[in-house]
């Protein structure tokens, strides 16, 4: 991913938070096969962290995730930006967004590691389910687990980008931020909320 210096996310903690909040990613192998799945991120493991996921055993993509290179893409909020929102022209339409790309070496997990990775994922989104043996009895879980394969990606490089118009003049930033906030489109509102949280591309609005 092309990341100009002024659009690069530098803070490791924010990158970790971004992956956690936008954890439904796309894993792409050297063969250009791709699978959409949720991930958990262990920032404390390895030099740059480790991503954990699992896919269906019937998915042939799993054969490409055994000791091979992998790219995992996490996409954040994004929206169309109209040139009419800027104070002055000339200008053209663009698209603002945030994204994180992680590259590294993929390898399969053993059965115990796969169970732990699946439990970690449930614990993140609905921890009460882990103790709900009525809804998720052990024999039922065991049956489903036989149909999946866990894997991890030991991250070797991260590209993290926020293209939020933060490089533009203050009046232009304010015009875009105001238009996104007042939009009826969910994607526009989500991007405005992200910009406000990060205090990027909002001009001098606090």
């Amino acid at each position: 991913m092309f990341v100009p210096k002024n659009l690069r996310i530098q803070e490791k903690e924010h990158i970790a938070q971004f992956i956690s909040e936008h954890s439904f990613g796309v894993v792409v192998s050297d063969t250009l096969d791709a699978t959409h799945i949720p991930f958990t991120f262990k920032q404390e493991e390895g030099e740059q962290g480790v991503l954990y996921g699992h896919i269906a055993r019937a998915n042939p993509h799993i054969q490409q995730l055994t000791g091979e290179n992998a790219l995992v893409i996490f996409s954040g909020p994004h929206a169309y930006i109209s040139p009419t929102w800027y104070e002055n022209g000339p200008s053209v339409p663009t698209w603002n967004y945030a994204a994180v790309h992680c590259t590294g070496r993929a390898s399969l997990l053993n059965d115990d590691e796969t169970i732990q990775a699946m439990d970690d994922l449930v614990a993140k989104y609905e921890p009460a389910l882990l103790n709900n043996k009525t809804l998720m009895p052990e024999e039922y879980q065991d049956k489903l687990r036989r149909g999946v394969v866990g894997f991890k990606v030991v991250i070797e490089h991260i590209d993290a980008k926020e293209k939020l118009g933060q490089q533009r003049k203050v009046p232009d930033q304010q015009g875009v931020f105001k238009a996104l906030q007042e939009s009826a489109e969910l994607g526009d509102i989500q991007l405005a909320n992200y910009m406000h949280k990060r205090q990027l591309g909002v001009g001098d609005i606090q």
Side-chain angles (χ1 to χ4, degrees), residues 57-146:
R57 189 177 295 275
N59 186 343
H61 193 195
I62 196 63
Q63 300 172 12
Q64 310 302 327
L65 298 175
T66 306
E68 301 294 335
N69 294 322
L71 164 67
V72 183
I73 301 170
F74 299 100
S75 297
H78 57 90
Y80 169 82
I81 305 299
S82 170
T84 64
W85 298 344
Y86 300 135
E87 182 180 55
N88 297 306
S91 193
V92 296
T94 190
W95 207 277
N96 283 358
Y97 63 93
V100 171
H101 288 195
C102 301
T103 55
R105 204 76 171 170
S107 61
L108 301 187
L109 304 178
N110 62 36
D111 290 345
D112 289 340
E113 292 170 333
T114 296
I115 291 172
Q116 184 60 59
M118 296 175 73
D119 285 349
D120 288 345
L121 191 63
V122 174
K124 176 181 177 180
Y125 291 101
E126 197 170 1
L129 281 181
L130 292 174
N131 298 317
N132 190 334
K133 301 308 179 184
T134 300
L135 185 62
M136 299 199 327
E138 288 295 338
E139 60 272 17
Y140 180 71
Q141 292 188 56
D142 290 342
K143 179 181 178 180
L144 293 181
R145 284 170 180 152
R146 289 194 291 271

Side-chain angles (χ1 to χ4, degrees), residues 9-205:
I9 305 174
Q10 302 287 354
E11 315 97 306
K12 290 184 178 180
E13 290 304 319
H14 178 63
I15 293 173
Q17 183 180 2
F18 185 97
I19 294 173
S20 178
E21 293 179 354
H22 307 281
S23 58
F24 191 73
V26 183
V27 57
V28 184
S29 57
D30 283 342
T31 57
L32 299 185
D33 289 301
T35 300
H36 298 249
I37 57 169
F39 286 88
T40 53
F41 178 50
K42 300 294 182 68
Q43 184 183 9
E44 69 280 3
E45 296 183 15
E47 293 185 6
Q48 299 202 56
V50 177
L51 294 166
Y52 289 87
H54 64 275
I55 66 177
R57 189 177 295 275
N59 186 343
H61 193 195
I62 196 63
Q63 300 172 12
Q64 310 302 327
L65 298 175
T66 306
E68 301 294 335
N69 294 322
L71 164 67
V72 183
I73 301 170
F74 299 100
S75 297
H78 57 90
Y80 169 82
I81 305 299
S82 170
T84 64
W85 298 344
Y86 300 135
E87 182 180 55
N88 297 306
S91 193
V92 296
T94 190
W95 207 277
N96 283 358
Y97 63 93
V100 171
H101 288 195
C102 301
T103 55
R105 204 76 171 170
S107 61
L108 301 187
L109 304 178
N110 62 36
D111 290 345
D112 289 340
E113 292 170 333
T114 296
I115 291 172
Q116 184 60 59
M118 296 175 73
D119 285 349
D120 288 345
L121 191 63
V122 174
K124 176 181 177 180
Y125 291 101
E126 197 170 1
L129 281 181
L130 292 174
N131 298 317
N132 190 334
K133 301 308 179 184
T134 300
L135 185 62
M136 299 199 327
E138 288 295 338
E139 60 272 17
Y140 180 71
Q141 292 188 56
D142 290 342
K143 179 181 178 180
L144 293 181
R145 284 170 180 152
R146 289 194 291 271
V148 303
V149 179
F151 70 96
K152 66 180 180 181
V153 177
V154 179
I155 300 173
E156 299 173 353
H157 180 74
I158 296 177
D159 284 318
K161 182 177 184 178
E162 291 172 318
K163 179 182 176 292
L164 305 175
Q166 63 267 43
Q167 76 282 5
R168 299 192 68 92
K169 295 179 179 179
V170 168
D172 289 348
Q173 293 184 40
Q174 292 175 334
V176 169
F177 184 56
K178 182 175 185 292
L180 292 172
Q181 282 185 309
E182 295 176 350
S183 173
E185 296 293 331
L186 179 59
D188 293 354
I189 297 169
Q190 289 174 334
L191 182 61
N193 290 340
Y194 182 88
M195 293 164 62
H196 184 266
K197 178 181 178 181
R198 291 287 289 153
Q199 282 297 292
L200 288 174
V202 299
D204 56 2
I205 300 173

